[in-house]
Amino acid sequence: MHADDLIASWKAEEQIAHVHGWDFSHVDGCVAEDALPWDYREQILHYLKPEMQILDIDTGGGEFLLSLHHPYRNTSATENYPPNIELCQNTLLPLGIDFRSADGKGILPFEDERFDLVLNRHGDLNPEEIYRVLKPGGLFITQQVGAENDRELVELLCGHTDLPFPDQYLKIISDQFSQTGFEILDGRECFRPIRFYDVGALVWFARIIQWEFPNFSVDRCLGRLLNAQKLLDASGVIEGSIHRFLLISRKCE
């Protein structure tokens, strides 16, 4: 494809970059990730019982929460991103799920010791608030994006940038929860490859995850995008790595 046509296609991807809930299906077939060494959903289901009162913090559009098929009357969720708030109000509230708009870093709008299980998948953490809303002996299960996520891709498109969340390591977060009064039941951390087979998909991805790719735009990063295309043409793939960790903890009684 001619360079002008490539640039036009990249700008088209830049213009349409958005997510509905937390849906990356737009780049299906253009991006591949190796499986994590754990299954977050299976970890939850190991502990989950129908009678439990559960809370999902930063639920996105509620897609993952609904996949658990937990009784709606025993299910609560929070979200702070405006487009997702509207989505949750339209999808979760009619089901009878107790959805409330709230920032995962701030005060959770629930009473003390309400929940048996609190979940958080890739959302903000406030250990003190999670401790407050959990019943004694209650569980907290989280899968988090680590500090070094996508760093090779960020440097490819944006050059050297500071880590957006430098404390996002299992050891640091585990220590925070231990100091708050949690018993750590399990903790795992890993790096896995992520592969792009289309530079346009990488453009879309970078625009979606703006906190990882600061000030990214096709115009601003055009030279680096053209170099990325050369890498793709030469090897058939652009590869980076994802950084994830899993933490399972119990509120001490």
Side-chain angles (χ1 to χ4, degrees):
M1 187 181 293
H2 190 274
D4 289 343
D5 295 328
L6 280 173
I7 294 167
S9 70
W10 297 341
K11 288 191 172 185
E13 290 293 338
E14 182 179 41
Q15 289 297 314
I16 66 172
H18 68 279
V19 287
H20 183 71
W22 198 238
D23 178 10
F24 279 61
S25 60
H26 177 73
V27 291
D28 283 353
C30 300
V31 185
E33 292 182 10
D34 283 12
L36 299 177
W38 62 81
D39 185 313
Y40 177 61
R41 187 172 184 273
E42 289 301 316
Q43 295 295 319
I44 293 167
L45 293 178
H46 175 73
Y47 294 97
L48 188 60
K49 296 179 175 60
E51 65 272 16
M52 284 181 164
Q53 287 287 334
I54 72 169
L55 168 64
D56 189 28
I57 298 171
D58 286 354
T59 194
E63 304 90 346
F64 176 79
L65 177 61
L66 292 175
S67 80
L68 299 175
H69 303 295
H70 195 65
Y72 298 146
R73 66 183 180 278
N74 294 338
T75 303
S76 300
T78 65
E79 174 60 39
N80 193 52
Y81 180 53
N84 287 346
I85 291 172
E86 182 179 2
L87 179 59
C88 289
Q89 289 170 337
N90 292 334
T91 58
L92 301 185
L93 285 177
L95 297 174
I97 291 173
D98 185 0
F99 171 75
R100 306 185 191 187
S101 173
D103 183 350
K105 287 184 178 178
I107 302 299
L108 295 172
F110 300 98
E111 63 271 23
D112 295 356
E113 299 185 358
R114 171 165 172 179
F115 298 105
D116 301 284
L117 174 63
V118 173
L119 308 174
N120 185 313
R121 182 172 179 262
H122 303 179
D124 289 328
L125 298 173
N126 184 331
E128 291 79 11
E129 277 297 286
I130 294 167
Y131 184 91
R132 181 184 65 79
V133 300
L134 272 172
K135 298 175 183 178
L139 294 165
F140 174 60
I141 303 177
T142 186
Q143 179 179 290
Q144 289 288 311
V145 177
E148 298 177 44
N149 195 60
D150 297 329
R151 292 312 293 175
E152 300 92 342
L153 302 174
V154 172
E155 292 183 4
L156 177 65
L157 297 190
C158 301
H160 176 74
T161 64
D162 293 335
L163 295 175
F165 303 104
D167 292 337
Q168 282 290 97
Y169 291 93
L170 176 62
K171 176 65 166 62
I172 294 174
I173 301 301
S174 294
D175 286 348
Q176 290 176 0
F177 275 83
S178 293
Q179 292 162 13
T180 304
F182 285 87
E183 174 192 3
I184 306 303
L185 303 181
D186 195 2
R188 311 182 207 179
E189 190 164 24
C190 72
F191 293 83
R192 287 291 185 271
I194 180 171
R195 304 176 185 90
F196 283 79
Y197 301 98
D198 179 84
V199 174
L202 183 55
V203 168
W204 186 91
F205 185 83
R207 288 292 289 176
I208 292 297
I209 312 179
Q210 297 175 18
W211 55 92
E212 285 189 2
F213 297 82
N215 301 313
F216 171 80
S217 72
V218 171
D219 286 336
R220 189 176 294 112
C221 303
L222 182 56
R224 291 181 175 274
L225 285 168
L226 291 170
N227 285 335
Q229 185 65 48
K230 289 179 182 178
L231 289 174
L232 182 66
D233 292 340
S235 62
V237 65
I238 298 169
E239 187 167 309
S241 60
I242 62 172
H243 179 193
R244 299 284 188 275
F245 61 87
L246 173 77
L247 177 65
I248 303 175
S249 59
R250 176 185 288 121
K251 178 177 176 177
C252 296
E253 299 190 43

